């Protein structure tokens, strides 16, 4: 089994994980009590006219007891070409949920991240707000989140740029289970500044998870990232098509 996992990691390794974490896809099924989680890895080593090494990982751990749910996510990506670092980003995310009413969940979170490609030396987010259950059927689930958050970021430049802003974070999370072996998930975030709605970001995270064997899954992900006011020299729109594997536990 270990040999199979190793070769699947090599065969299916694709682009590295982005700064946008698939929080909704990971946490939609949270009925079980106690600990649960998942881990995913990517490796790539290529040697021809140039040497390329790439590594990506994501880990998710949650604990639920009655109406309380806490979870932590760590996401890392690193890539070098000819011993020169050209991608280095990571995110840590901690979130608490309280199931207050049958259709209302109160949540609070803290997130810290950095991304060399987007010139983000550091970005800290903290926020809270209600999460509404729109539908929870066996095959289809949908949620609407309305969060107010404070953002502190340091942008890499000749002279570092510091931003401190209040933003709304509105999201719609959908999950469809057409069969027992396939899960389709889509989450879209809209994050405007409260004092200037013309300054906003849109994230769309879409994935298809296919069960390979037991708790081992093959995952295809498409991410769209739009920022009206990114760092100087960074395009407004970025996107990624990822493939990899994950292993879940409970």
């Amino acid at each position: 089994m270990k040999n199979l996992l190793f070769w699947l990691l090599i065969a299916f390794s694709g682009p590295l994980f982005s700064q946008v974490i698939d929080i909704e896809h990971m946490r939609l099924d949270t009925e079980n009590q106690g600990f649960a989680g998942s881990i995913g890895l990517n490796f790539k080593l290529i040697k021809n006219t140039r040497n390329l090494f790439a590594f990506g990982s994501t880990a998710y751990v949650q604990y639920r007891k009655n109406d309380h749910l806490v979870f932590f996510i760590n996401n890392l990506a690193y890539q070098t070409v000819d011993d020169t670092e050209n991608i280095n980003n990571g995110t840590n995310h901690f979130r608490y949920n309280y199931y207050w009413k049958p259709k209302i969940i109160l949540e609070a979170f803290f997130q810290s991240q950095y991304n060399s490609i987007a010139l983000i030396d550091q970005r800290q987010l903290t926020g809270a707000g209600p999460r509404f259950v729109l539908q929870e059927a066996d095959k289809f689930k949908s949620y609407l989140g309305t969060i107010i958050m404070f953002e502190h970021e340091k942008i890499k430049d000749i002279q570092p740029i510091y931003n401190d802003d209040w933003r709304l974070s509105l999201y719609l999370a959908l999950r469809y289970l057409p069969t027992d072996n396939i899960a389709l998930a889509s989450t879209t975030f809209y994050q405007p500044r409260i004092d200037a709605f013309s300054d906003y970001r849109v994230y769309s995270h879409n994935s298809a998870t296919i069960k390979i064997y037991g708790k081992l899954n093959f995952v295809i992900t498409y991410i769209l990232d739009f920022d009206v006011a990114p760092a100087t020299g960074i395009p407004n729109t970025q996107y990624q098509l990822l493939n990899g594997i994950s292993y879940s536990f409970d």
Side-chain angles (χ1 to χ4, degrees):
M1 182 63 189
K2 291 182 178 179
N3 290 334
L4 173 62
L5 178 59
F6 173 79
W7 287 112
L8 285 170
L9 285 168
I10 298 299
F12 291 138
S13 64
L16 296 176
F17 297 96
S18 79
Q19 64 175 322
V20 183
I21 298 181
D22 188 6
I23 297 169
E24 295 306 315
H25 171 63
M26 292 178 175
R27 74 168 182 176
L28 280 172
D29 290 328
T30 58
E31 292 82 5
N32 295 335
Q33 300 289 311
F35 284 100
S38 65
I39 185 169
L41 296 171
N42 264 316
F43 293 98
K44 185 180 292 184
L45 179 61
I46 299 175
K47 180 176 177 61
N48 39 49
T49 58
R50 308 184 73 180
N51 298 318
L52 182 148
F53 170 76
F55 168 78
S57 70
T58 183
Y60 171 81
V61 179
Q62 75 170 37
Y63 179 78
R64 180 168 183 178
K65 184 174 182 181
N66 300 324
D67 294 329
H68 303 274
L69 170 70
V70 293
F71 61 84
F72 173 78
I73 302 172
N74 174 265
N75 193 13
L76 297 172
Y78 179 78
Q79 178 175 303
T80 63
V81 178
D82 291 338
D83 298 324
T84 300
E85 174 188 299
N86 62 354
I87 292 180
N88 187 13
N89 62 70
T91 305
N92 292 308
H93 185 100
F94 176 84
R95 188 169 295 229
Y96 167 74
N97 283 180
Y98 175 65
Y99 290 74
W100 182 44
K101 302 287 185 180
K103 297 290 185 178
I104 303 176
I105 303 164
L106 304 181
E107 58 183 5
F109 77 92
F110 173 79
Q111 178 173 304
S112 177
Q113 68 186 78
Y114 59 93
N115 188 310
S116 62
I117 295 296
L119 301 182
I120 300 172
D121 268 357
Q122 57 178 278
R123 178 184 285 168
Q124 283 88 39
L125 307 172
T126 183
R131 169 183 171 90
F132 301 96
V133 179
L134 302 180
Q135 184 174 347
E136 277 191 330
D138 291 338
K139 295 290 186 179
F140 181 76
K141 300 182 180 183
S142 60
Y143 303 86
L144 177 67
T146 55
I147 290 176
I148 296 177
M149 66 182 187
F150 178 75
E151 174 185 272
H152 169 77
E153 68 176 3
K154 176 186 176 184
I155 302 298
K156 185 177 182 180
D157 207 332
I158 298 174
Q159 292 293 328
I161 300 172
Y162 295 89
N163 296 313
D164 292 300
D165 299 307
W166 286 94
R167 290 184 180 269
L168 293 177
S169 183
L170 310 176
Y171 65 83
L172 178 65
L174 309 173
R175 193 175 192 192
Y176 176 53
L177 306 172
T179 72
D180 292 338
N181 298 322
I182 298 176
L184 305 177
S186 177
T187 307
T188 300
F189 296 83
Y190 172 63
Q191 297 179 333
R193 274 177 49 187
I194 292 178
D195 62 337
F197 266 64
S198 59
D199 182 351
Y200 65 90
R201 304 185 186 122
V202 176
Y203 302 132
S204 182
H205 198 296
N206 309 277
S207 64
T209 302
I210 304 169
K211 184 180 293 186
I212 299 174
Y213 178 79
K215 297 182 179 181
L216 187 66
N217 303 304
F218 175 59
V219 185
I220 303 171
T221 305
Y222 175 75
I223 299 170
L224 177 67
D225 183 345
F226 178 82
D227 190 341
V228 168
T232 302
I234 303 301
N236 296 98
T237 303
Q238 301 179 62
Y239 63 88
Q240 296 187 57
L241 180 63
L242 313 176
N243 59 75
I245 64 170
S246 68
Y247 181 81
S248 59
F249 61 88
D250 53 25

Coordinates of all heavy atoms in Angstrom, one line a residue, residues 125-178:
L125 N -5.6 37.7 8.7 CA -7.1 38.0 8.7 C -7.7 37.5 10.0 O -7.3 36.4 10.4 CB -7.7 37.3 7.5 CG -7.1 37.5 6.1 CD1 -7.8 36.5 5.1 CD2 -7.3 38.9 5.7
T126 N -8.6 38.2 10.5 CA -9.4 37.7 11.6 C -10.8 38.2 11.4 O -11.0 39.4 11.0 CB -8.8 38.1 13.0 OG1 -9.6 37.6 14.0 CG2 -8.8 39.7 13.1
G127 N -11.8 37.3 11.7 CA -13.2 37.7 11.4 C -14.2 36.8 12.1 O -13.9 35.8 12.7
A128 N -15.5 37.2 12.0 CA -16.6 36.4 12.6 C -17.9 36.8 11.9 O -18.0 37.9 11.3 CB -16.6 36.7 14.1
G129 N -18.8 35.9 12.0 CA -20.2 36.2 11.5 C -21.0 34.9 11.4 O -20.5 33.8 11.7
P130 N -22.2 35.0 11.0 CA -23.1 33.8 10.8 C -23.0 33.1 9.5 O -22.6 33.7 8.5 CB -24.5 34.5 11.0 CG -24.4 35.8 10.4 CD -23.0 36.3 10.7
R131 N -23.2 31.8 9.6 CA -23.2 30.9 8.4 C -24.6 30.3 8.3 O -25.0 29.7 9.3 CB -22.1 29.9 8.6 CG -22.1 28.7 7.6 CD -21.0 27.8 8.0 NE -20.9 26.5 7.3 CZ -20.3 26.3 6.2 NH1 -19.6 27.3 5.6 NH2 -20.3 25.1 5.6
F132 N -25.3 30.4 7.2 CA -26.6 29.9 7.1 C -26.7 28.7 6.2 O -26.1 28.6 5.2 CB -27.5 31.0 6.4 CG -27.5 32.3 7.1 CD1 -26.7 33.4 6.8 CD2 -28.4 32.5 8.2 CE1 -26.7 34.6 7.5 CE2 -28.4 33.7 8.9 CZ -27.5 34.7 8.6
V133 N -27.4 27.7 6.7 CA -27.7 26.5 6.0 C -28.8 26.7 5.1 O -30.0 26.9 5.5 CB -28.0 25.3 7.0 CG1 -28.3 24.0 6.2 CG2 -26.9 25.1 8.0
L134 N -28.6 26.6 3.8 CA -29.6 26.8 2.8 C -30.3 25.5 2.5 O -31.5 25.4 2.3 CB -29.1 27.4 1.5 CG -28.3 28.7 1.6 CD1 -27.8 29.2 0.3 CD2 -29.3 29.8 2.2
Q135 N -29.5 24.4 2.4 CA -30.1 23.1 2.1 C -29.1 22.0 2.5 O -27.9 22.2 2.3 CB -30.4 22.9 0.6 CG -31.0 21.6 0.3 CD -31.4 21.5 -1.2 OE1 -31.5 22.5 -1.9 NE2 -31.8 20.3 -1.6
E136 N -29.6 21.0 3.2 CA -28.7 19.9 3.6 C -29.5 18.6 3.3 O -30.1 17.9 4.2 CB -28.4 19.9 5.1 CG -27.2 20.8 5.4 CD -26.7 20.7 6.8 OE1 -27.5 20.4 7.7 OE2 -25.5 20.9 7.0
A137 N -29.4 18.1 2.0 CA -30.0 16.9 1.6 C -28.9 15.9 1.5 O -27.7 16.2 1.5 CB -30.7 17.1 0.3
D138 N -29.2 14.6 1.2 CA -28.2 13.6 1.1 C -27.3 13.8 -0.1 O -26.1 13.6 0.0 CB -28.9 12.2 0.9 CG -29.6 11.7 2.2 OD1 -29.2 12.2 3.3 OD2 -30.5 10.9 2.1
K139 N -27.8 14.3 -1.2 CA -27.0 14.5 -2.4 C -26.5 15.9 -2.6 O -25.6 16.1 -3.4 CB -27.9 14.1 -3.7 CG -28.2 12.6 -3.7 CD -27.0 11.7 -4.0 CE -27.4 10.3 -4.2 NZ -26.2 9.4 -4.5
F140 N -27.2 16.9 -2.1 CA -26.9 18.3 -2.3 C -26.9 19.1 -1.0 O -27.8 19.0 -0.2 CB -27.8 18.9 -3.3 CG -27.5 20.3 -3.7 CD1 -26.5 20.6 -4.5 CD2 -28.3 21.3 -3.2 CE1 -26.2 22.0 -4.8 CE2 -28.0 22.7 -3.5 CZ -27.0 23.0 -4.3
K141 N -25.9 19.9 -0.8 CA -25.8 20.8 0.3 C -25.3 22.2 -0.1 O -24.5 22.3 -1.1 CB -24.8 20.3 1.3 CG -25.1 18.9 1.8 CD -24.1 18.4 2.9 CE -24.5 17.0 3.4 NZ -23.6 16.5 4.4
S142 N -25.9 23.2 0.5 CA -25.5 24.6 0.2 C -25.5 25.4 1.4 O -26.3 25.2 2.3 CB -26.4 25.2 -0.9 OG -27.8 25.2 -0.4
Y143 N -24.6 26.4 1.5 CA -24.4 27.3 2.7 C -24.1 28.7 2.2 O -23.5 28.9 1.1 CB -23.2 26.8 3.5 CG -23.4 25.4 4.0 CD1 -22.9 24.3 3.2 CD2 -23.9 25.1 5.2 CE1 -23.1 23.0 3.6 CE2 -24.1 23.8 5.7 CZ -23.6 22.7 4.9 OH -23.8 21.4 5.3
L144 N -24.5 29.7 3.0 CA -24.2 31.1 2.7 C -23.5 31.6 3.9 O -24.1 31.6 5.1 CB -25.5 31.8 2.4 CG -25.3 33.3 2.2 CD1 -24.5 33.6 0.9 CD2 -26.7 34.0 2.1
G145 N -22.3 32.2 3.7 CA -21.6 32.8 4.8 C -21.5 34.3 4.7 O -21.4 34.8 3.6
T146 N -21.6 35.0 5.9 CA -21.6 36.5 5.9 C -20.6 36.9 7.1 O -21.0 36.9 8.2 CB -23.0 37.1 6.1 OG1 -23.6 36.5 7.3 CG2 -23.9 36.8 4.9
I147 N -19.4 37.2 6.7 CA -18.4 37.5 7.7 C -17.9 38.9 7.6 O -17.7 39.4 6.5 CB -17.2 36.5 7.6 CG1 -17.7 35.1 8.0 CG2 -16.0 36.9 8.4 CD1 -16.7 34.0 7.8
I148 N -17.6 39.5 8.7 CA -16.8 40.8 8.8 C -15.4 40.5 9.2 O -15.3 39.8 10.3 CB -17.5 41.8 9.7 CG1 -18.9 42.2 9.1 CG2 -16.6 43.1 9.8 CD1 -19.7 43.2 10.0
M149 N -14.4 40.9 8.5 CA -13.1 40.6 8.9 C -12.1 41.8 8.8 O -12.4 42.7 8.0 CB -12.5 39.4 8.0 CG -12.3 39.8 6.6 SD -11.8 38.3 5.6 CE -11.4 39.1 4.0
F150 N -11.1 41.7 9.6 CA -10.0 42.8 9.6 C -8.8 42.1 8.9 O -8.4 41.0 9.2 CB -9.7 43.2 11.0 CG -8.6 44.3 11.0 CD1 -8.8 45.6 10.6 CD2 -7.3 43.9 11.4 CE1 -7.8 46.5 10.6 CE2 -6.3 44.8 11.4 CZ -6.5 46.2 11.0
E151 N -8.2 42.9 8.0 CA -7.0 42.4 7.2 C -5.8 43.3 7.4 O -5.9 44.5 7.3 CB -7.4 42.3 5.8 CG -6.3 42.0 4.8 CD -6.7 42.1 3.4 OE1 -7.2 41.0 2.8 OE2 -6.5 43.1 2.8
H152 N -4.7 42.7 7.8 CA -3.4 43.4 7.9 C -2.5 42.7 6.9 O -2.3 41.5 7.0 CB -2.9 43.4 9.3 CG -1.4 43.9 9.4 ND1 -1.1 45.2 9.3 CD2 -0.3 43.2 9.4 CE1 0.2 45.3 9.4 NE2 0.7 44.1 9.4
E153 N -1.9 43.5 6.0 CA -1.0 42.9 5.1 C 0.3 43.7 4.8 O 0.2 45.0 4.9 CB -1.7 42.5 3.7 CG -2.1 43.7 2.9 CD -2.7 43.3 1.6 OE1 -2.8 42.1 1.3 OE2 -3.0 44.3 0.8
K154 N 1.3 43.1 4.5 CA 2.6 43.7 4.1 C 2.9 43.3 2.7 O 3.1 42.1 2.4 CB 3.7 43.3 5.1 CG 5.1 43.9 4.7 CD 6.1 43.3 5.7 CE 7.5 43.8 5.3 NZ 8.6 43.2 6.1
I155 N 3.0 44.2 1.8 CA 3.3 43.9 0.4 C 4.8 44.2 0.1 O 5.3 45.3 0.5 CB 2.5 44.8 -0.6 CG1 1.0 44.6 -0.3 CG2 2.8 44.5 -2.0 CD1 0.5 43.2 -0.6
K156 N 5.4 43.3 -0.6 CA 6.9 43.4 -0.9 C 7.1 44.5 -1.9 O 6.5 44.4 -3.0 CB 7.4 42.1 -1.3 CG 8.9 42.0 -1.5 CD 9.4 40.7 -1.9 CE 10.9 40.6 -2.1 NZ 11.4 39.3 -2.5
D157 N 8.0 45.4 -1.7 CA 8.3 46.5 -2.6 C 9.7 47.1 -2.2 O 10.2 46.6 -1.2 CB 7.2 47.6 -2.6 CG 7.2 48.3 -4.0 OD1 8.2 48.4 -4.7 OD2 6.1 48.8 -4.4
I158 N 10.1 48.1 -2.9 CA 11.4 48.7 -2.5 C 11.2 49.3 -1.1 O 12.1 49.1 -0.3 CB 11.7 49.9 -3.5 CG1 12.0 49.3 -4.9 CG2 13.0 50.6 -3.1 CD1 12.2 50.3 -6.0
Q159 N 10.1 49.9 -0.9 CA 9.7 50.3 0.5 C 8.4 49.5 0.8 O 7.4 49.6 0.0 CB 9.4 51.8 0.6 CG 10.7 52.6 0.5 CD 11.6 52.5 1.6 OE1 11.2 52.2 2.8 NE2 12.9 52.6 1.4
P160 N 8.4 48.6 1.7 CA 7.3 47.7 2.0 C 6.0 48.6 2.2 O 6.0 49.7 2.7 CB 7.6 47.0 3.3 CG 9.1 47.0 3.4 CD 9.5 48.3 2.7
I161 N 4.9 48.0 1.6 CA 3.6 48.7 1.7 C 2.7 48.0 2.7 O 2.6 46.7 2.7 CB 2.9 48.7 0.3 CG1 3.8 49.4 -0.7 CG2 1.5 49.3 0.4 CD1 3.2 49.3 -2.1
Y162 N 2.1 48.7 3.7 CA 1.3 48.1 4.7 C -0.2 48.6 4.5 O -0.4 49.7 4.2 CB 1.8 48.5 6.1 CG 3.1 48.0 6.5 CD1 4.3 48.7 6.2 CD2 3.3 46.8 7.1 CE1 5.5 48.3 6.5 CE2 4.5 46.3 7.5 CZ 5.6 47.0 7.1 OH 6.9 46.6 7.5
N163 N -1.1 47.6 4.6 CA -2.5 47.9 4.4 C -3.3 47.3 5.6 O -3.0 46.2 6.0 CB -3.1 47.3 3.1 CG -2.4 47.9 1.9 OD1 -2.3 49.1 1.8 ND2 -2.0 47.0 1.0
D164 N -4.2 48.1 6.2 CA -5.0 47.7 7.2 C -6.5 48.0 6.8 O -6.8 49.2 6.8 CB -4.7 48.4 8.6 CG -3.3 47.9 9.1 OD1 -3.2 46.7 9.4 OD2 -2.5 48.8 9.2
D165 N -7.3 47.0 6.6 CA -8.6 47.2 6.0 C -9.6 46.3 6.7 O -9.3 45.2 7.1 CB -8.6 46.9 4.5 CG -7.7 47.8 3.7 OD1 -7.8 49.1 3.9 OD2 -6.9 47.3 3.0
W166 N -10.9 46.8 6.7 CA -12.0 46.0 7.1 C -12.7 45.6 5.8 O -13.0 46.4 4.9 CB -13.0 46.8 8.0 CG -12.5 47.0 9.4 CD1 -11.8 48.1 9.8 CD2 -12.7 46.1 10.5 NE1 -11.6 48.0 11.2 CE2 -12.1 46.8 11.6 CE3 -13.3 44.9 10.6 CZ2 -12.1 46.2 12.9 CZ3 -13.3 44.3 11.9 CH2 -12.7 44.9 13.0
R167 N -13.0 44.3 5.7 CA -13.7 43.7 4.5 C -14.9 42.9 4.9 O -14.9 42.3 6.0 CB -12.7 42.9 3.7 CG -11.6 43.7 3.0 CD -10.8 42.8 2.1 NE -9.7 43.5 1.5 CZ -9.9 44.0 0.2 NH1 -11.0 43.9 -0.4 NH2 -8.9 44.7 -0.3
L168 N -15.8 42.8 4.0 CA -16.9 41.7 4.1 C -16.3 40.5 3.4 O -15.6 40.6 2.4 CB -18.1 42.2 3.4 CG -18.9 43.3 4.1 CD1 -20.1 43.7 3.2 CD2 -19.4 43.0 5.5
S169 N -16.7 39.3 3.9 CA -16.4 38.1 3.2 C -17.7 37.3 3.1 O -18.2 36.7 4.0 CB -15.3 37.3 4.0 OG -15.0 36.1 3.3
L170 N -18.3 37.4 1.9 CA -19.5 36.7 1.6 C -19.2 35.5 0.7 O -18.5 35.6 -0.3 CB -20.5 37.7 0.9 CG -20.7 39.0 1.5 CD1 -21.6 39.9 0.6 CD2 -21.3 38.9 2.9
Y171 N -19.7 34.4 1.1 CA -19.4 33.2 0.3 C -20.7 32.3 0.1 O -21.5 32.2 1.0 CB -18.3 32.4 0.9 CG -18.5 31.8 2.2 CD1 -19.2 30.6 2.3 CD2 -18.1 32.4 3.4 CE1 -19.4 30.0 3.6 CE2 -18.3 31.8 4.6 CZ -18.9 30.6 4.7 OH -19.2 30.0 6.0
L172 N -20.7 31.6 -1.0 CA -21.7 30.6 -1.3 C -21.0 29.3 -1.5 O -20.1 29.2 -2.4 CB -22.5 31.0 -2.5 CG -23.6 30.0 -3.0 CD1 -24.7 29.8 -1.9 CD2 -24.2 30.3 -4.3
A173 N -21.3 28.3 -0.7 CA -20.7 27.0 -0.8 C -21.7 25.9 -1.2 O -22.8 25.8 -0.7 CB -20.1 26.6 0.5
L174 N -21.3 25.2 -2.3 CA -22.2 24.1 -2.8 C -21.5 22.8 -2.8 O -20.3 22.7 -3.1 CB -22.6 24.5 -4.2 CG -23.2 25.9 -4.5 CD1 -23.4 26.1 -6.0 CD2 -24.5 26.0 -3.7
R175 N -22.2 21.7 -2.6 CA -21.6 20.4 -2.7 C -22.6 19.4 -3.3 O -23.8 19.4 -2.8 CB -21.0 19.8 -1.4 CG -20.2 18.6 -1.6 CD -19.5 18.1 -0.4 NE -18.5 17.1 -0.7 CZ -17.9 16.4 0.2 NH1 -18.2 16.5 1.5 NH2 -17.0 15.5 -0.1
Y176 N -22.2 18.6 -4.3 CA -23.2 17.7 -4.9 C -22.5 16.3 -5.0 O -21.3 16.2 -5.3 CB -23.5 18.1 -6.4 CG -24.3 17.2 -7.1 CD1 -25.5 16.7 -6.6 CD2 -23.9 16.7 -8.4 CE1 -26.3 15.8 -7.4 CE2 -24.7 15.9 -9.1 CZ -25.9 15.4 -8.6 OH -26.7 14.5 -9.3
L177 N -23.2 15.3 -4.5 CA -22.7 13.9 -4.5 C -23.5 13.1 -5.5 O -24.5 12.4 -5.1 CB -22.8 13.4 -3.1 CG -22.2 14.2 -2.0 CD1 -22.5 13.6 -0.6 CD2 -20.7 14.3 -2.1
P178 N -23.1 13.0 -6.7 CA -23.9 12.3 -7.7 C -23.8 10.8 -7.5 O -24.8 10.1 -7.8 CB -23.2 12.6 -9.1 CG -21.9 13.1 -8.7 CD -22.0 13.7 -7.4

